[in-house]
Amino acid sequence: NAGVMQNPRHLVRRRGQEARLRCSPVKGHSHVYWYRQLPEEGLKFMVYLQKENIIDESGMPKERFSAEFPKEGPSILRIQQVVRGDSAAYFCASSPPGQGADYTFGSGTRLTVV
Amino acid sequence: GQQLNQSPQSMFIQEGEDVSMNCTSSSIFNTWLWYKQDPGEGPVLLIALYKAGELTSNGRLTAQFGITRKDSFLNISASIPSDVGIYFCAGQGSSGSARQLTFGSGTQLTVLP
């Protein structure tokens, strides 16, 4: 039973390009969460999605960032027109319905903006 | 926004020693969680606490959910080299989305042979 799969593991983008981060949740998990981690800091909540719905995006920057979790396929975190400050590790987690604390985290995507 | 104050920020201990770290918050949480993160990996859940006052063990790890619901501690007994890593506390369910986790800033643990 595979865990949360994130790809790519490392992503380098030039300023102004778009970054697309993918997350496949644990099989059977219908809840997906995205977190961002800056060096030597804890994870910061960005967005919580269920299939085809954004439930809570209170941690998402208002501009350039978007997330989706389509009926078929992985969840996508999209960052448009990246800037140096977007460089961070982005972690996806998933959980089954009805169990709020039973998160499984992926290994993350490390985004570097040059 | 909510903040968790985690201390200490880093610890250097000898193999075999016991370790203690804690988190405090100005907000009440319904669930406290402790995670370990190895370099280049995502956090892995160590212990989950669901009730105020709850004391839970997982092998050499023991954690408690403070009675005020605003604090928690994690103890590691008889440390070994593989305990090296960053330990994070996280609270859930205080406000906003009940599923959102608020993380502390981490405790970097180094175990010396």
Side-chain angles (χ1 to χ4, degrees):
Chain A
N1 183 21
V4 174
M5 304 301 292
Q6 289 189 248
N7 66 84
R9 289 295 303 269
H10 299 275
L11 182 61
V12 179
R13 284 286 177 266
R14 295 187 184 279
R15 279 179 295 172
Q17 290 185 320
E18 178 180 282
R20 289 169 61 94
L21 288 62
R22 296 176 188 78
C23 169
S24 295
V26 172
K27 189 176 181 181
H29 285 192
S30 56
H31 302 258
V32 165
Y33 317 82
W34 286 93
Y35 285 77
R36 176 165 62 177
Q37 184 178 35
L38 295 172
E40 302 192 9
E41 292 188 9
L43 283 72
K44 298 285 195 296
F45 170 78
M46 298 182 74
V47 62
Y48 160 36
L49 310 104
Q50 294 180 21
K51 284 286 187 182
E52 301 183 278
N53 288 306
I54 296 175
I55 307 302
D56 179 0
E57 56 181 351
S58 59
M60 285 275 272
K62 294 287 186 280
E63 298 178 351
R64 302 188 297 108
F65 285 72
S66 62
E68 62 178 13
F69 188 19
K71 186 176 180 180
E72 301 290 338
S75 175
I76 305 288
L77 179 68
R78 183 182 291 111
I79 311 172
Q80 297 177 302
Q81 299 176 327
V82 296
V83 301
R84 289 254 171 90
D86 297 332
S87 296
Y90 292 84
F91 290 96
C92 172
S94 70
S95 70
Q99 297 183 42
D102 193 11
Y103 274 46
T104 301
F105 279 90
S107 297
T109 293
R110 276 130 192 97
L111 172 66
T112 302
V113 179
V114 298
Chain B
Q2 300 162 55
Q3 281 192 323
L4 291 185
N5 297 310
Q6 184 171 350
S7 63
Q9 190 173 9
S10 62
M11 301 183 74
F12 292 81
I13 61 169
Q14 295 291 139
E15 184 177 354
E17 289 184 343
D18 298 344
V19 173
S20 184
M21 57 194 79
N22 68 85
C23 274
T24 60
S25 170
S26 57
S27 304
I28 289 173
F29 287 104
N30 295 329
T31 302
W32 279 92
L33 306 155
W34 284 92
Y35 288 87
K36 180 176 183 243
Q37 186 178 28
D38 291 325
E41 297 296 330
V44 173
L45 181 65
L46 299 174
I47 292 182
L49 302 154
Y50 299 102
K51 295 181 183 178
E54 179 182 353
L55 184 71
T56 297
S57 293
N58 178 9
R60 293 179 297 107
L61 278 59
T62 301
Q64 183 158 32
F65 190 149
I67 198 72
T68 64
R69 294 166 63 196
K70 293 183 178 182
D71 63 298
S72 177
F73 71 74
L74 173 71
N75 287 342
I76 305 173
S77 63
S79 58
I80 59 177
S82 62
D83 290 335
V84 166
I86 305 177
Y87 292 79
F88 290 99
C89 62
Q92 185 185 44
S94 176
S95 64
S97 167
R99 290 177 175 264
Q100 179 183 133
L101 294 183
T102 301
F103 280 82
S105 55
T107 295
Q108 172 75 62
L109 178 64
T110 302
V111 179
L112 304 171

